[in-house]
Amino acid sequence: MLTSWAYYLYLSLIFKNFTAGIFKPLIKKINMEVNTTENKTLEQDYRDLAGLLSNIVDSLPIYFFVKDTGDNFRYVYSSPLMNQLYGRYHNDVVGKTDFDLFLDPVVAQSFRDMDEEVVKTGKMQRFVEQMIDPKGILRTMDTMKLLAPREDKPPYLVGISWDITKQRQVEEELHSYNKRLALACQAGKIYPWLWDLVNGTAELSLEENGQIKHVQITHASFTEKIHPDYRKVYENITTAFMRGEIDSMRFSFPCRYFSDEYVWLEKIGEVYEADPDGKPIRSIGILRDMTVDKRHEADVQAKRLAEESDRMKSAFIANMSHEIRTPLNSIVGFANILALEDGLSSAEREEYISTINKNSELLLKLINDILELSRIESGYMSFSFKRCKVRELIDDIYMTHQVLIAPHLEFLKEGDDTPLEINVDRERLIQVLTNFLNNAGKFTETGYIKLGYSYLPDEGKVQIYVEDTGRGIPREEQ
């Protein structure tokens, strides 16, 4: 008898007025069997406890209901919240079925199907149900249903429901935010990360099917995917960040973690949490695929180089006029001397003729350079390197410019007694030195212009120079 009595006491914890309603026959039976004062006291204590527990059940924000499976699943009990929930349809739920309470038979049939599933399996079932409350608001209910056995009668179906409407709304909002974040990350090719600096692991967020997916990676597994030429720099920066030597980091590197080919990634990070000593524990940031940016930079650089090439072409054409004028003036000058000076010796005539021939060759070379302008634009110029005696080279250039330097300027030549040979494109070098001498003559008003060379034995090099007393190039323009 005690076991049966304790069992029904447990049920009274869940359902209000079970002691006064459902279990009234049981209480009547107890009254008939218990005659002593002690048992009557126990019975009163039971009634008081049952009332207290019923009041507690009524105050809980949970929906309780009981249906009789042997009477077409009619409600035999409903909590006050249940009465409020169904108040749109009837003031009294007890004695009604779902088909009486719901205007839509489809909704009522869905509840009936769930009830029959519990009876069929005999096991507790959990369902997510939807219904419209008296205010016309669609509510989502999380419901647990189980069978409560009765002696010689079909069992009761006991239900407990929680209103999860707001929870579902929050879940849907979070799902929407997650989708927006995923689309934004996908569009910007951004990968958020949270780095545990102590354990060397990171949570990397990736877009997958319109949602954010979090994967765990190790610092080492990511580092090994970085291009070898940039790996050391990556390790140096991240190590300084982990030690707290820098508060933030932002740098780029090629990496093939997300694909088989290297793509440019930019890593941006800040300290998220530090220990009491200020040493970083966790950090947060993003990885950004900046391959398109790099390609854009390359396009801008190519455009800049093209513009620079056009500028250099214009400068080349302008400079050519000076370079052509130099050998032409030399040829004309020495030709006039040969024609007008009758007292020249044979040696002088041969020397002047040789100078005319060399300048003719230089002029031909300059013309060939103009014809090779298209090759210059493509970034390629041909060079012909040969062994060349330095003293002969300087003497030839000095002889050519003797008649070109302004008379009021002193034209000097310096040399080294050491016999020197260099491997060089002779004509190209003459062009360079000719430009230096032309500029010296243009910007030197008084004083001298000096052409010379010296040997640097410690370095094993020859230094060829043009020196003048002109105003020079301002420091800000150098």
Side-chain angles (χ1 to χ4, degrees):
M1 176 63 67
L2 181 60
T3 302
S4 176
W5 184 83
Y7 171 73
Y8 289 114
L9 178 62
Y10 167 73
L11 287 181
S12 67
L13 174 64
I14 304 178
F15 307 112
K16 180 184 179 182
N17 296 329
F18 270 21
T19 54
I22 299 173
F23 301 125
K24 186 177 291 184
L26 176 62
I27 296 174
K28 183 177 181 181
K29 182 178 181 181
I30 292 175
N31 288 334
M32 293 173 61
E33 294 179 355
V34 178
N35 295 318
T36 65
T37 303
E38 181 180 355
N39 286 340
K40 287 183 179 181
T41 302
L42 181 62
E43 178 183 346
Q44 184 59 45
D45 291 342
Y46 164 71
R47 291 177 184 274
D48 294 340
L49 179 60
L52 174 62
L53 294 177
S54 296
N55 292 332
I56 293 174
V57 170
D58 286 349
S59 64
L60 294 176
I62 300 176
Y63 301 87
F64 289 99
F65 59 89
V66 180
K67 296 180 182 179
D68 189 346
T69 61
D71 187 14
N72 199 26
F73 293 94
R74 294 184 184 279
Y75 286 91
V76 295
Y77 170 79
S78 66
S79 65
L81 282 180
M82 285 290 295
N83 293 333
Q84 295 176 17
L85 191 63
Y86 291 111
R88 173 183 173 185
Y89 308 100
H90 294 281
N91 291 329
D92 189 8
V93 176
V94 175
K96 305 295 191 302
T97 68
D98 289 325
F99 289 95
D100 299 326
L101 298 173
F102 291 98
L103 300 178
D104 188 347
V106 175
V107 176
Q109 186 61 51
S110 67
F111 288 163
R112 176 62 59 86
D113 293 340
M114 296 175 189
D115 293 344
E116 291 178 347
E117 179 68 19
V118 176
V119 174
K120 179 181 177 180
T121 61
K123 298 179 179 180
M124 183 186 73
Q125 300 287 339
R126 187 167 183 173
F127 307 94
V128 176
E129 305 171 324
Q130 287 188 320
M131 61 171 295
I132 299 177
D133 68 4
K135 297 180 179 180
I137 300 174
L138 179 64
R139 294 194 173 276
T140 303
M141 312 296 291
D142 184 0
T143 303
M144 294 174 56
K145 297 180 180 180
L146 71 158
L147 296 178
R150 295 190 297 169
E151 295 180 1
D152 300 327
K153 290 183 179 181
Y156 283 130
L157 187 145
V158 181
I160 307 174
S161 297
W162 294 266
D163 189 342
I164 60 171
T165 304
K166 291 184 178 180
Q167 176 183 335
R168 279 300 175 91
Q169 290 174 349
V170 171
E171 290 175 353
E172 290 175 359
E173 289 177 359
L174 289 176
H175 181 81
S176 176
Y177 293 148
N178 188 289
K179 184 175 182 179
R180 286 186 231 170
L181 176 61
L183 293 176
C185 290
Q186 182 183 24
K189 293 186 176 181
I190 294 173
Y191 310 97
W193 52 263
L194 184 64
W195 185 10
D196 187 333
L197 302 177
V198 176
N199 298 322
T201 59
E203 180 185 90
L204 189 62
S205 301
L206 307 174
E207 184 278 332
E208 186 176 283
N209 299 324
Q211 291 294 316
I212 290 294
K213 175 185 176 182
H214 303 291
V215 297
Q216 295 293 325
I217 66 172
T218 64
H219 179 65
S221 66
F222 181 82
T223 303
E224 68 180 10
K225 297 293 184 180
I226 297 173
H227 194 282
D229 294 345
Y230 292 80
R231 194 172 298 158
K232 187 63 177 178
V233 175
Y234 178 87
E235 291 175 345
N236 291 340
I237 295 176
T238 53
T239 299
F241 182 76
M242 293 170 63
R243 291 175 178 173
E245 298 172 1
I246 54 177
D247 297 329
S248 62
M249 56 182 174
R250 182 169 188 165
F251 59 102
S252 58
F253 49 87
C255 180
R256 58 179 182 181
Y257 186 84
F258 300 106
S259 63
D260 295 332
E261 298 181 356
Y262 284 108
V263 298
W264 278 93
L265 297 178
E266 182 180 37
K267 186 167 188 175
I268 305 172
E270 299 280 348
V271 175
Y272 175 65
E273 183 180 352
D275 63 13
D277 296 329
K279 185 177 180 181
I281 298 176
R282 290 195 296 173
S283 64
I284 192 169
I286 63 170
L287 285 170
R288 184 174 71 91
D289 188 333
M290 56 181 306
T291 305
V292 175
D293 294 346
K294 285 291 184 179
R295 290 173 181 169
H296 178 67
E297 289 179 7
D299 292 341
V300 172
Q301 178 70 2
K303 181 181 179 182
R304 189 190 67 78
L305 291 176
E307 292 173 350
E308 180 67 12
S309 177
D310 290 340
R311 188 191 66 79
M312 292 178 64
K313 180 177 67 174
S314 300
F316 173 80
I317 294 174
N319 290 333
M320 272 300 169
S321 64
H322 296 287
E323 293 192 25
I324 292 173
R325 189 180 300 114
T326 299
L328 277 176
N329 289 338
S330 179
I331 293 171
V332 172
F334 282 105
N336 287 334
I337 293 174
L338 289 173
L340 299 175
E341 296 291 337
D342 295 331
L344 296 175
S345 65
S346 298
E348 289 176 329
R349 286 183 177 275
E350 289 179 4
E351 183 180 356
Y352 293 164
I353 292 173
S354 176
T355 301
I356 291 174
N357 290 334
K358 290 178 180 178
N359 280 275
S360 297
E361 292 175 0
L362 177 58
L363 180 61
L364 179 61
K365 184 67 175 178
L366 292 173
I367 294 174
N368 288 334
D369 286 344
I370 295 175
L371 296 177
E372 291 179 3
L373 182 58
S374 60
R375 299 178 67 182
I376 296 174
E377 291 178 336
S378 66
Y380 175 78
M381 286 184 65
S382 60
F383 291 87
S384 178
F385 291 92
K386 295 180 181 179
R387 300 297 294 178
C388 173
K389 294 181 179 180
V390 178
R391 179 175 295 177
E392 290 183 1
L393 174 68
I394 297 301
D395 288 344
D396 291 341
I397 297 174
Y398 181 79
M399 181 66 69
T400 298
H401 285 269
Q402 260 190 326
V403 297
L404 302 176
I405 299 297
H408 65 277
L409 297 175
E410 187 178 4
F411 187 33
L412 305 176
K413 179 178 69 172
E414 287 185 344
D416 195 297
D417 294 334
T418 306
L420 301 171
E421 285 190 357
I422 56 176
N423 190 38
V424 69
D425 186 323
R426 191 176 190 276
E427 303 305 326
R428 301 292 186 193
L429 182 55
I430 290 175
Q431 285 180 324
V432 172
L433 294 173
T434 295
N435 284 335
F436 287 164
L437 290 169
N438 286 338
N439 287 334
K442 183 178 179 181
F443 296 104
T444 303
E445 298 179 356
T446 60
Y448 67 87
I449 297 174
K450 184 187 296 182
L451 172 64
Y453 70 95
S454 61
Y455 177 54
L456 306 176
D458 293 338
E459 301 179 21
K461 296 180 180 180
V462 176
Q463 176 179 268
I464 301 176
Y465 55 87
V466 173
E467 179 183 315
D468 62 69
T469 55
R471 63 177 181 268
I473 304 175
R475 181 174 299 276
E476 62 272 11
E477 297 182 10
Q478 293 181 1

